Amino acid sequence: MGAQLIDGKAYAQAVRTRVGLRVRELVAETGQTPGLAVVLVGHDPASEIYVRSKGKQAVEAGMASFEHRLPAEISAETLLTLIHQLNEDTLVHGFLVQLPLPDHLDARAVINAISPQKDVDGFHTSNVGMVGTGQEAIVPCTPLGCMMMLRTLHDDFRGKTALVIGHSNVVGKPMARMLLNADCTVMVAHKSSTNIPQLARMADIIVAAAGVPGLVKADWLKPGATVIDVGINRVPAPDLGPDKTRITGDVDIAARDVAGAIAPVPGGVGPMTIACLLANTLSAYCHLLGLPDRPISLEHKDPT
Ligand code: GUN
């Protein structure tokens, strides 16, 4: 029997609807509109598309959207001045600087200049450390989306084993920490690992974020495993015509014959990233306004 396909579009729509409803209730209550600002340096085509979608979806959720476009040759000082202004701006409750940045800018210094309370990407060292120690914090959007999907399939992570493939700061590391905070047994593999097939065979849950097309093979999987594919790889597609390409994930298509459930590429976790960005912005707004809302996006486990 084929795996259940996890429909990321439907999940993301559900998250956006939930955020939008809560935003409208809170605006009616407080008279203040949640504001999301996005800073784009330069003209990276993929970043342009992401930034436009973030602004559009924020407005659809009833938020105010602010876009700051800066030339690629901007100095670090000017960028940091804008970040300090956004930190102080009471109309902005969350903001991010779209990555990648031009080489002359130090991305870590830029991220750490953002107020951790407004860091809706969850990339600030303070938020990373909080999540790493099981404290309530803003968590990165893509692993948050994966976690939301996994939670609908697994009531309890205790006694389950997960393999996270990839150890980036954006997906792999936060994903592993969140699963660990949920008491999952977590293995992390990456490009220097030599035993990924053996690790995969032990895993009830696999999150593949290595950036290697078709890396995870059907015969690596424990039958019935849940697989979340986070890979976005552009590969040649000669069947579509000369010079044509398509987006493919890190999980081989044949894995669908063995897994219990798969969030595929395309069609899986992709749209959850911006939906979770909106959820994080709503959480940041609630926190900054001192609203007692139980934020829908925070992943934590109280340290005991
Ligand atoms: N570039 C690609 N994905 C992201 C993201 O989630 N946040 C930021 N700031 N830049 C990105």
Side-chain angles (χ1 to χ4, degrees), residues 38-39 44 46-47 50 54 95-100 111 121 123 140-142 170 273 277:
V38 178
V39 179
D44 179 72
S47 294
Y50 281 128
K54 287 172 183 179
F95 70 99
L96 60 92
V97 178
Q98 189 68 24
L99 302 175
I111 289 165
D121 261 335
F123 292 169
C141 304
T142 300
V170 175
T273 299
L277 176 69

Side-chain angles (χ1 to χ4, degrees), residues 234-301:
R234 190 166 281 285
V235 297
D239 52 311
L240 298 180
D243 302 329
K244 293 287 184 194
T245 59
R246 65 160 59 86
I247 297 292
T248 186
D250 285 1
V251 179
D252 194 88
I253 191 113
R256 294 179 192 189
D257 297 335
V258 185
I262 289 196
V265 172
V269 74
M272 285 295 277
T273 299
I274 299 183
C276 289
L277 176 69
L278 302 180
N280 277 351
T281 305
L282 175 58
S283 294
Y285 162 91
C286 290
H287 189 73
L288 287 165
L289 268 62
L291 299 171
D293 238 54
R294 176 78 197 101
I296 60 176
S297 65
L298 301 183
E299 273 290 335
H300 75 289
K301 179 190 168 201

Side-chain angles (χ1 to χ4, degrees), residues 6-283:
I6 306 169
D7 180 355
K9 213 167 142 187
Y11 272 70
Q13 182 58 54
V15 172
R16 287 197 303 265
T17 300
R18 214 146 50 102
V19 170
L21 288 172
R22 195 66 192 124
V23 165
R24 284 164 179 95
E25 282 171 3
L26 289 170
V27 170
E29 235 173 72
T30 66
Q32 295 193 58
T33 303
L36 170 67
V38 178
V39 179
L40 175 61
V41 181
H43 298 283
D44 179 72
S47 294
E48 297 256 10
I49 293 169
Y50 281 128
V51 164
R52 219 172 302 129
S53 297
K54 287 172 183 179
K56 183 168 171 278
Q57 292 187 35
V59 170
E60 283 167 4
M63 298 181 180
S65 163
F66 306 93
E67 228 177 80
H68 295 268
R69 289 171 175 266
L70 305 173
E73 58 279 2
I74 193 102
S75 70
E77 197 188 356
T78 308
L79 178 56
L80 291 174
T81 300
L82 172 62
I83 291 174
H84 295 313
Q85 283 166 1
L86 293 171
N87 284 341
E88 298 302 321
D89 189 337
T90 53
L91 297 179
V92 172
H93 302 91
F95 70 99
L96 60 92
V97 178
Q98 189 68 24
L99 302 175
L101 286 172
D103 288 345
H104 69 282
L105 296 168
D106 176 352
R108 178 44 60 197
V110 168
I111 289 165
N112 281 345
I114 298 172
S115 160
Q117 294 185 327
K118 293 190 177 185
D119 164 40
V120 283
D121 261 335
F123 292 169
H124 191 289
T125 299
S126 165
N127 282 320
V128 173
M130 302 265 281
V131 174
T133 48
Q135 300 176 72
E136 196 164 278
I138 303 179
V139 294
C141 304
T142 300
L144 176 59
C146 296
M147 201 66 189
M148 284 183 179
M149 289 173 147
L150 287 171
R151 281 194 188 285
T152 65
L153 295 162
H154 298 271
D155 295 334
D156 194 347
F157 291 98
R158 287 175 298 181
K160 301 264 167 62
T161 299
L163 171 64
V164 178
I165 310 176
H167 65 347
S168 73
N169 290 328
V170 175
V171 182
K173 284 181 201 155
M175 186 75 245
R177 292 186 190 112
M178 287 159 76
L179 285 164
L180 199 53
N181 287 346
D183 289 332
C184 194
T185 301
V186 183
M187 307 177 281
V188 184
H190 45 77
K191 57 182 176 294
S192 302
S193 304
T194 55
N195 57 344
I196 304 180
Q198 292 90 318
L199 300 178
R201 283 183 193 109
M202 290 192 279
D204 304 298
I205 294 165
I206 295 183
V207 179
V212 179
L215 172 74
V216 177
K217 309 289 183 233
D219 67 354
W220 295 8
L221 298 183
K222 184 171 172 176
T226 302
V227 180
I228 309 281
D229 192 348
V230 192
I232 300 179
N233 311 292
R234 190 166 281 285
V235 297
D239 52 311
L240 298 180
D243 302 329
K244 293 287 184 194
T245 59
R246 65 160 59 86
I247 297 292
T248 186
D250 285 1
V251 179
D252 194 88
I253 191 113
R256 294 179 192 189
D257 297 335
V258 185
I262 289 196
V265 172
V269 74
M272 285 295 277
T273 299
I274 299 183
C276 289
L277 176 69
L278 302 180
N280 277 351
T281 305
L282 175 58
S283 294

